[in-house]
Amino acid sequence: MSENQAQLPTVYDPTNVENKWYKFWLDKNYFHPEVDPSRPKYSITIPPPNVTGSLHIGHALCYSIQDVLVRWKRMQGFNTLCLPGTDHAGIATQTKVEAQIAAEGLSKYDLGREKFLERVWAWKAEYGGQIIHQFKTMGFSFDWERERFTMDTRYVDAVQESFIRLFNKGYIYRGARVINWCPRCRTAISDIEVEYVEQKSHLWHLRYPLEDGSGYVVVATTRPETMLGDTAVAVNPNDKRYTGIVGKNVKLPLTDRVIPIVADEYVDMEFGTGAVKTTPAHDPNDFEIGMRHNLPQIVVIGPDGSMTAEAGPRYEGLDRFKARQIVVEDLEAQGLLEQVDDYVHSVGTCERCHTTIEPLLSEQWFCKMKELAKPAIEVVKQGKIKFVPERYERIYIDWMENVRDWCISRQLWWGHRIPIWRCEDCGEFTAAKSKLEACSKCGSHNVKQEEDVLDTWFSSALWPFATMGWPEKTPELDYFFPTDVLVTSREIIYLWVARMIFSSLEYLQEIPFNDVYIYATVLNEEGKRMSKSLGTGVDPLNLIEHYGADALRFALIQQTGMNQDLRFSDKRVEDIRNFGNKMWNASRFVIMNLEGYTPSPLAGEGRGEGALRLEDRWILSRLNRVIETVNSSFGTYNMDTAARALYEFLWSEYCDWYIELAKPRLRGDEQEKAQVQNVLYHVLETTLRLMHPIMPFITEEIWHALPHEGDSIMMTEFPSADAAMFDDDAERQMNAVMDAVRAIRNLRAELGVSLGKSISLTVVARGEMNDLIKSGQGALQFLAKVEKLAFVDSIADEDKAKYMSAHLTDLDLFVEAAGLIDVDKELARIDTELKSIEKELTRSEGKLSNEKFMSRAPADIVEKERRIVAELTEKKQKLEERKKSLAG
């Protein structure tokens, strides 16, 4: 047992403490577990952030949750691995480097593929480790010796192995489908890379004349330029308005083409006119309609966002938005523009360059999903993988049951180049890891590798097992896989979670993780999405600089409940900084009063000499209930419940109540002093261990100042609840005492009597409350500064005027007013305050009775006025009651 070496400084300095202890943990190699089959394991592979990234508040929450779990399990004796790494982030990284070379007056084409990739690797070497450094600033106990990157040599091999296996099974094919296309980045992009923004636009209603001259069909569209590629008009077969025209043709305006009217159940009868222009080459849903009705696919917008020759000579070469303007003008000139409505809708944009996405029919590589999805659906339905919160299970299953083939190719240079060689002579495709010298079918040497790279999510899908050495059978893979939990956001359930599950089942016949915990989305205080560009973001690094990493971690964990939206602000971190200071100051007080103390087992239960006092039994009972709550809450991912329990226990029960009751005993005889020292120490040391997973730095610093065994708090045993310490009687007694003390303190505040001035108290308690208060009367007298205490059965009505009173369930408290206040002055003060309240009430009630105000004011302003009236009315009632009691 180490003695406490030094007193804690007066003020806690997070910066110095956090740097010191993180270096200490790294030097001790605490984060790196060896494979040890004799020990139970707990493993997590973190969601790899983009190598381009810097720490944002969502990262701070996501990875704090993982670190809490890992530190908790490590202290429980598990051999814990939290494997970190970064994703190569194809389009994001390429965009960064393209911007860098553009500043030099160059494009990637000036450099060529090989030289451009050299620049990307150089950029990665210089800037790619930024977020890893920031993770360390947060105190994350990740195994940095096993850090991975999705373009590492071994990882590249895993990606190629995965592709080749799927290709050889017939799951990967080349075909034409409508994909998300960015005309600026000149590549297909995934759904997660599409950012939807609300835009003011128009809904144009266009007339398509029937071929037989009997009238026209009106269609509505937000993209009139795409009408040049229409190959049908679709209506719902149940729409009686169009029963007679299904099968007829319409003349497509501005062209010389005739297109059919088809019936398809996809069409929403309520949207627009119920008749839908169908452009299979420029809308994914229209593409599916086109496949069902064997419609032609006419591409009228090219990869650069300009109109193609198929759009006709008048429009060819025009930018798509300029073409929109001219198409509308031409339709109006021909009398084919029925009406134009103002319309606000969500428009997909590229999250990297903010260019409007163009749905485009394009030759791409796809992966067939139906067969791969089946086992991935079953493991979730069977409960082998559990989603938390549970509602996300249904979202996952619905998507997987309706999954479409996955576009896996991207028109980029940075990324995993698709390991396919095409024979230029016979057209045969061959998948191979190394350069193909000759065609496997015809023997020709005229073979060329595919130019495209794989979707970033293709490589990320292998993350839980490729990071551990797959396709090799490594000791790490055998021991640490499957992992225990994936902590991720709801936005990537489809794009990443689903793909990891089917990939793991396909290649290893095992699930990749047991639980999927979907963490809360961090919003600002007004409930808006965090965004630096919109000025609604919160910089976690700035918060760490001002308040420390522990404060940020706790503030986030304290709010991360199951409702999935978390409103956050600097003020919350400041509040937790104050909580940390409270912990620090309480610890300083305890340590200063441990002189000559040697920890010993808690004893003294029962009655008689050496028995634990009521407050001792109470605090130990409460401690063990908190231990039970924290373990249960961590185990069910109710992090906020654990944090709130710790906050309330440490701030209120330990600091505000128990330490106050301990102070006179520390000045008592040696036996009394030793007993209270022992309880103070055990409760504080245990609470520090409970708190450590959330606030690792400050707990390590305080723990080292206490008598302790071992080198680090993070390697001590996490507390487990001792049911023998639960004491319902002590909790009931102390709760009664605390309620009484609060009521008396409120009376003091109303009377303007300082907490240091002694009072006389008369108590009328009924039933069990009488025993509860009497058993805790020593604590009551000390905490409420009661000099004279009397228990009576009742107080006569005529005598009540002498007292200020508070009334609780089965308990009436009477404080003698004589000598404490000047009654006349107090009555005058009450009259003044009542006049002020009446004035405010008249103003607010006048607003609420004003019809103009009620009809024009926003709902939140009206509600605010109602709250003001309610609060003022309650305050007025209390003042009038008090005036009555003082006047006698």
Side-chain angles (χ1 to χ4, degrees), residues 209-240:
L210 288 162
E211 185 185 24
D212 61 11
S214 60
Y216 51 80
V217 175
V218 177
V219 298
T221 180
T222 58
R223 300 163 65 211
E225 70 281 5
T226 63
M227 60 138 314
L228 300 167
D230 284 3
T231 55
V233 171
V235 298
N236 193 295
N238 300 312
D239 194 334
K240 294 178 180 178

Side-chain angles (χ1 to χ4, degrees), residues 605 617-618 620-629 720-731:
E605 293 183 49
R617 291 185 289 115
W618 166 74
L620 292 171
S621 179
R622 290 296 308 132
L623 172 65
N624 279 275
R625 293 198 194 278
V626 170
I627 292 170
E628 186 176 57
T629 296
S720 55
D722 180 359
M725 300 301 289
F726 294 161
D727 192 327
D728 293 339
D729 289 341
E731 291 191 42

Side-chain angles (χ1 to χ4, degrees), residues 151-209:
M151 291 284 284
D152 287 341
T153 302
R154 287 177 66 187
Y155 206 100
V156 169
D157 179 69
V159 172
Q160 292 179 338
E161 178 74 20
S162 167
F163 182 93
I164 291 168
R165 289 192 189 187
L166 292 174
F167 181 82
N168 290 339
K169 288 184 74 170
Y171 286 150
I172 289 177
Y173 66 94
R174 188 163 177 80
R177 283 185 174 272
V178 174
I179 44 83
N180 299 313
W181 182 266
C182 176
R184 153 60 185 79
C185 298
R186 297 287 186 93
T187 182
I189 66 173
S190 66
D191 290 344
I192 193 67
E193 292 161 328
V194 178
E195 191 174 69
Y196 288 92
V197 294
E198 292 256 302
Q199 288 186 5
K200 292 181 179 179
S201 181
H202 298 95
L203 188 63
W204 287 272
H205 296 254
L206 316 180
R207 294 173 178 171
Y208 284 16

Side-chain angles (χ1 to χ4, degrees), residues 423-428 438-445 447:
C423 177
E424 298 296 295
D425 292 332
C426 73
E428 179 73 2
C439 175
S440 57
K441 185 176 181 181
C442 71
S444 169
H445 293 280
V447 291

